């Protein structure tokens, strides 16, 4: 897509350059012809111009001077337009080159992370990386200076490539996956413990409630017995008195204790 944009930009720039050249030539031609007509070397243009039905004399002269003035005035804007087109073309070429450099650097840096480059000296290391870029199938059309810049960048970031090498990154990912597995297992055990804790709390609550209900029933039975026992004790005492009139009231140890 960037290559297509660059081709469209080149086509537009070519048409704009041709237009500027044509306007410049027309301005020069009209200015020269008007100057020669002013000195009487060539005749003025003749144009049938009328205003409200009245024929305007020397209409061609006025039209020629007007067209010449317009074309000459446009020439003052041509340098500005030319500089703008140069800036646009230079900016687009710079963007294309930077994208090429970034792509080439990404390729050679990925290769460097695998430990493929072993040269220690700076010159040999850069040369080794440039050779890899030249033989790469996707980078064969790059300019040599772009490859050189990418190779130098890769040489500068060699320590970074060794620090974050593919082997170290694989070990780091393995360690993180193991830790994640341990955390997941701990979370499962924690969820199971939470479920057991909830069951125990509910069971204990039910036991406390049952114990409270049983104690309440026991207290109610004791209160009922306290109401019934005095009457029972009095009835038993009267029976004993009738059977033993001489002795009067008989105090039974059991009843007294009650």
């Amino acid at each position: 897509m960037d290559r297509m944009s660059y081709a469209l930009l080149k086509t537009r720039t070519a048409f704009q350059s041709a237009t500027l050249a044509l306007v410049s030539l027309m301005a020069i031609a009209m200015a020269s012809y008007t100057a020669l007509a002013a000195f009487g070397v060539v005749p003025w243009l003749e144009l049938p111009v009328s205003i409200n039905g009245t024929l305007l004399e020397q209409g061609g002269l006025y039209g020629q001077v007007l067209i010449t003035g317009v074309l000459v005035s446009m020439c003052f804007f041509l340098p500005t337009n030319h500089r703008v087109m140069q800036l646009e073309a230079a900016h687009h070429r710079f963007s294309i080159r930077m994208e090429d450099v970034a792509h080439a650097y990404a390729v050679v840096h990925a290769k460097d992370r695998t430990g493929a480059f072993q040269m220690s000296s700076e010159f040999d290391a850069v040369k080794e990386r440039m050779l890899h870029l030249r033989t790469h199938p996707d980078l064969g059309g790059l300019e040599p200076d772009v490859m050189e810049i990418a190779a130098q960048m890769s040489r500068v970031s060699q320590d970074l490539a060794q620090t974050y090498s593919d082997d170290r990154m694989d070990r780091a990912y393995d360690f993180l996956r193991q830790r994640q597995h341990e955390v997941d297992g701990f979370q499962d055990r924690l969820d199971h413990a939470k479920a057991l804790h909830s069951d125990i709390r509910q069971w204990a609550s039910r036991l406390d409630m049952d114990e409270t209900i049983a104690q309440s029933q026991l207290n109610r039975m004791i209160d009922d017995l306290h109401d019934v026992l005095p009457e029972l004790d009095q009835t038993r005492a009267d029976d004993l008195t009738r059977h033993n009139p001489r002795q009067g009231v008989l105090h039974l140890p059991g009843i007294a204790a009650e």
Side-chain angles (χ1 to χ4, degrees):
M1 187 64 183
D2 294 332
R3 297 292 183 180
M4 184 179 298
S5 300
Y6 182 71
L8 293 176
L9 179 63
K10 293 290 289 183
T11 304
R12 189 186 67 179
T13 303
F15 278 109
Q16 289 177 347
S17 301
T19 303
L20 294 178
L22 180 60
V23 171
S24 301
L25 292 176
M26 291 177 61
I28 294 173
M30 288 299 298
S32 300
Y33 187 82
T34 302
L36 293 175
F39 287 105
V41 178
V42 295
W44 292 95
L45 296 178
E46 295 182 0
L47 294 174
V49 180
S50 62
I51 300 176
N52 293 328
T54 302
L55 183 63
L56 182 63
E57 297 180 357
Q58 296 181 348
L61 185 148
Y62 298 143
Q64 182 178 344
V65 172
L66 180 61
I67 294 174
T68 302
V70 172
L71 291 175
V72 173
S73 300
M74 291 177 63
C75 291
F76 289 101
F77 296 96
L78 296 182
T80 302
N81 293 332
H82 183 64
R83 287 194 297 269
V84 170
M85 288 190 301
Q86 287 181 340
L87 289 175
E88 289 181 353
H91 177 71
H92 197 78
R93 286 196 301 269
F94 176 78
S95 299
I96 293 295
R97 287 176 61 86
M98 291 306 297
E99 290 177 0
D100 292 338
V101 171
H103 186 200
Y105 170 73
V107 171
V108 71
H109 182 70
K111 191 70 174 179
D112 195 9
R113 289 177 56 181
T114 61
F117 306 123
Q118 302 296 331
M119 295 295 179
S120 58
S121 65
E122 182 177 357
F123 177 79
D124 293 335
V126 174
K127 184 178 179 181
E128 186 180 15
R129 286 165 172 79
M130 289 186 64
L131 180 61
H132 172 70
L133 292 176
R134 288 194 186 97
T135 57
H136 197 275
D138 298 335
L139 305 176
L142 293 182
E143 294 81 358
D145 55 348
V146 173
M147 295 184 181
E148 184 178 359
I149 293 174
Q152 291 175 354
M153 292 172 61
S154 177
R155 172 63 181 82
V156 172
S157 61
Q158 184 178 7
D159 295 338
L160 183 65
Q162 293 177 356
T163 302
Y164 296 97
S165 63
D166 293 342
D167 186 35
R168 291 185 177 181
M169 294 302 296
D170 292 339
R171 290 200 300 270
Y173 282 127
D174 291 339
F175 174 75
L176 291 177
R177 282 192 290 268
Q178 183 179 0
R179 289 291 304 277
Q180 186 64 45
H181 180 71
E182 293 176 356
V183 170
D184 294 338
F186 177 77
Q187 187 64 40
D188 294 338
R189 293 192 296 272
L190 183 61
D191 293 338
H192 182 65
K194 289 180 179 179
L196 293 178
H197 179 263
S198 178
D199 293 340
I200 291 174
R201 284 179 61 90
Q202 293 178 2
W203 194 0
S205 298
R206 289 195 301 269
L207 289 176
D208 291 339
M209 185 178 297
D210 295 341
E211 183 178 3
T212 302
I213 294 173
Q215 185 66 37
S216 176
Q217 293 176 353
L218 178 62
N219 293 334
R220 189 180 300 111
M221 291 176 62
I222 292 175
D223 293 338
D224 294 340
L225 288 176
H226 284 170
D227 294 338
V228 174
L229 286 177
E231 298 177 358
L232 181 62
D233 293 342
Q234 184 64 34
T235 302
R236 293 178 61 186
D238 294 340
D239 293 341
L240 292 175
T241 302
R242 285 194 302 271
H243 289 88
N244 300 286
R246 295 179 181 182
Q247 295 181 359
V249 179
L250 180 63
H251 298 282
L252 298 177
I255 298 177
E258 290 292 333

